Amino acid sequence: GARVGVVFCGRQAPGGHNVVWGLAAAVRRLGGSVVGFEGGTQGMFAQRAVEVDDARLALYKNQGGFDMLGRSADQVRTEAQVAATEAACRALRLDGLVMIGGTHTGSDAAALAETFAARGVGTKVVAVPSGIDGDLVNNFVEATVGFHTACGVYAQLVGNIATDANSAKKYTYFVRLMGRKPSHIAVEVGLQTQPNAVLIGEEVADHRWTLPDVVRRLADVVARRAAAGKNFGVVLVPEGLIAAIPEVAALIKELNALFRAGVSAEADVRARLTPWCAALLEYLPEFIQRQLMLEREVHGSVQLSQIQTERLLAELVDAELAERARRGEFAGKFAAVCSFAGYEARCATPSPFDCELGFALGHTAAALLAAGQTGYMATVRGVTHGVERWVCGGVPLAAMLACARHSHGIHARIPPSSVDLSGAPFAALKAGLSSGGWADGEAYRNPGPTQMGGPTRDARPAVTELRCGNDGDYLSRLGKLHALLAATRERCTPGCDAHVLDTALASMSCLDSILNGMRDRRGAALE
Amino acid sequence: GARVGVVFCGRQAPGGHNVVWGLAAAVRRLGGSVVGFEGGTQGMFAQRAVEVDDARLALYKNQGGFDMLGRSADQVRTEAQVAATEAACRALRLDGLVMIGGTHTGSDAAALAETFAARGVGTKVVAVPSGIDGDLVNNFVEATVGFHTACGVYAQLVGNIATDANSAKKYTYFVRLMGRKPSHIAVEVGLQTQPNAVLIGEEVADHRWTLPDVVRRLADVVARRAAAGKNFGVVLVPEGLIAAIPEVAALIKELNALFRAGVSAEADVRARLTPWCAALLEYLPEFIQRQLMLEREVHGSVQLSQIQTERLLAELVDAELAERARRGEFAGKFAAVCSFAGYEARCATPSPFDCELGFALGHTAAALLAAGQTGYMATVRGVTHGVERWVCGGVPLAAMLACARHSHGIHARIPPSSVDLSGAPFAALKAGLSSGGWADGEAYRNPGPTQMGGPTRDARPAVTELRCGNDGDYLSRLGKLHALLAATRERCTPGCDAHVLDTALASMSCLDSILNGMRDRRGAALE
């Protein structure tokens, strides 16, 4: 039977254990066996493999975390890392390797599959999409394992905080939500809880709002509510926001360059900043200046997750409202309470959806390997429906790759998806928040804790429902188009009516011009 | 029919809405009606009363928060407050007033009932025990509404964090848990999640551990784990800990006295501290010095909830380990991640237990009022059993009162209960944590989100199971004693055997001496 290895490459995501379970169930049904690498990629390089047997699975089925096997750094990229992986796969005589993770993992799996094929390594490589950030969702991937659960925990907490705000009616809560640069988590939690304001990094960047712009907009919401006698509210702040504000991003870039150049004494750093960035640094509250100057990652750059953006905004809004009060334009009260919803969600007990998605993807990975495929991402289509209507399949990782310019050259990688500002989820959020709606009222929704049974058992992420729920997924729409093209070709074989031919020709020429024009515009926008 | 008013007096606690529901259901069954005061005690003083009808109840049954009616300050104590309450009760012709809250509310209700009786106000007063802190649990009250749910949310989050620690194996998490001075929440969450260390304020105070003592003990746990190759862990820190460390408590007392005396410039404050407290302030990390000096409540005292005790301990443990490393006594890695589990629990969706407890207590309050009782606390006994075995009843608030010395004289009040260091819950916690157990292993337990159905539906707080589960509750043990005394009296009526009389006399004299001795020792300890 086939021998398949499995490794957790990305960050912890609820449902990851079920991927291993689904994989092991399918591989073993076909007479094979599964080994897991302990300690993530580092453990794989060191060939620390353990048998995934029933005793091990029994403890971790439907449980959160990656602790069945553990994880370490997320990377299989350098030549040394690839060579160590090759050695491990050869030593363990693996027919297949399943890598569980996000965009980085998918990119690495694509390159690894190519390398293995070129070097004659017999191990096929398949990736499984997981991660709480939701930024691996694209035309092929409807949902990643863990996003639903993590957002469910955050929505539970934000819902409780909103109920708290509306009970004592004296605090404005600023809640920062963990997550990478894209604001998908903020969109989902916003839709689930209906707070008074939700900042979205992509929107801020798109409008090129400055920090004072963002502060003024929040102060407007607070002031309007105060004018109606309501000195309380809830504001959601995505962790990635700080890097989405153009001038703050510029400041961070300058600081990182200085830190990497070895400039570290505070006075030196300040003296070497451009006047514009130095002025911005001065404008920021003292605690944020300190966090920017002192909290650095190993390789010297500013540690974004340590920046208390929610406190920064609360203090600046407070200052703005004090200024308005001096001008007689604000007579309310403003008391902010700041909090961070972070590490407590990514190892939560998975929701039934994430349990089923993980298991299905593990099963699918086994099927792809059994079919001899390599360089594929396991996928499930139709996830908004019940499991009985899910369509499992695989997509070549190459179809998701794009070119990105790095300091060391140009690399092909799977780009993290941003919040689509013209998409249905963002539109629904903005419609809800618009003045007179969630912003001014108390439309708070408290979804409560994730339930393993009962009427909410089969819930799906709101963004997935809005994105995939209506007119079918990308691949089935592609299938419909191909069917139409084939039908037209059939209709217009030699001997067809000349009118039919002319009509089809005119129509297709017209479409061809339109699509050429769209490509040009898109090409221009990319430069 | 009877007219009953209800008011939320204490802080938000999950299940509070069900108290109102249970009360309204019982009062209306007897032909009466219930009005609720909007905006807590302030709303009561202003006579803002609304009918509690089905339409209102429908939205809030089994839901968290106090937003059905809202709350404000928790106090009905000054003559003006009592007079306003009397005016409201007279104006609305209330036959009964139900006050939902904790120890302060119970104390106020006791005094209010006396005052109303003395002044001939016909309104009977009954209190219902609620609050997430669990410090109103005493010989008569087995559980307060909301403790189970709030601890369940905290345990869910801590469980997730422990799974996270054990997945990536690189962080030591310091989690601060909201709560007043007693560490009941830390005991419950510790028992639920089995982390590597749990600090208990009462234990620290009892041993008179200094801050360096606490830091050394934590550093010992970290170092022992590191020696076994485990550079990760989970530490629970109760919010009230900071005030339980003797010398920190002394520093806070001095700071408060200076602030109240109008000394506020930083240099002035430092100059006026006793040398001992000034030295301690210097020893503390800069951010804590700032929090102690700058974050003050309205009346000028240090705002304990703003002190990041978890970060204080993490930084001091880091410094201690760095010092040990210099001495060659520590070779591990230590990376701390700090977080605060706070406002996101007290308005959570109530657990089935808190739903049922709230409803039962509301019903009981109605029964006490219907029986003409005043100055009572509604209680439920046998809560560890299924609802069908619960015994509802009432206890005179006077039975819970004790005398406390305040700046304005001596007041009778219900004392908040501390963690009983000789009780079963604390013993179970210490037994688990003892070296070789939770401290050195990964016995982490992740209880997951609160379930409204399924096998965990009827869960109870672990501390309640340990305290009440075994040999019956206080009142039933009291009943057994009284039965034994009565039986002995029956046996020893005139005409009984002289040997029987002598045996009983000797035995009772002996017991009397023992109990006298116990009273003396207890009296001495209290002085």
Side-chain angles (χ1 to χ4, degrees), chain A residues 12 64-67 70-71 156 160 163-164 167-168 173 290 337 343-344 346-349 446 448-452, chain B residues 12 64-67 70-71 156 160 163-164 167-168 173 290 337 343-344 346-349 446 448-452:
Chain A
Q12 293 89 305
F66 278 3
D67 46 330
R71 66 161 276 254
Q156 172 194 359
N160 292 347
T163 304
D164 202 73
S167 293
Y173 288 93
R290 223 172 11 250
V337 173
Y343 294 93
E344 60 268 50
R346 64 185 195 180
C347 285
T349 309
N446 188 337
T450 299
Q451 295 301 295
M452 304 307 159
Chain B
Q12 292 91 306
F66 279 3
D67 46 332
R71 66 160 276 253
Q156 172 194 0
N160 292 348
T163 304
D164 201 73
S167 293
Y173 288 94
R290 227 175 3 253
V337 173
Y343 295 92
E344 59 270 49
R346 65 184 194 180
C347 285
T349 309
N446 188 337
T450 299
Q451 295 301 294
M452 304 306 159

Side-chain angles (χ1 to χ4, degrees), chain A residues 180-199:
Chain A
R180 300 197 189 186
K181 203 174 166 193
S183 297
H184 300 293
I185 291 177
V187 174
E188 176 68 21
V189 176
L191 288 168
Q192 293 284 357
T193 60
Q194 309 186 170
N196 305 109
V198 184
L199 296 171

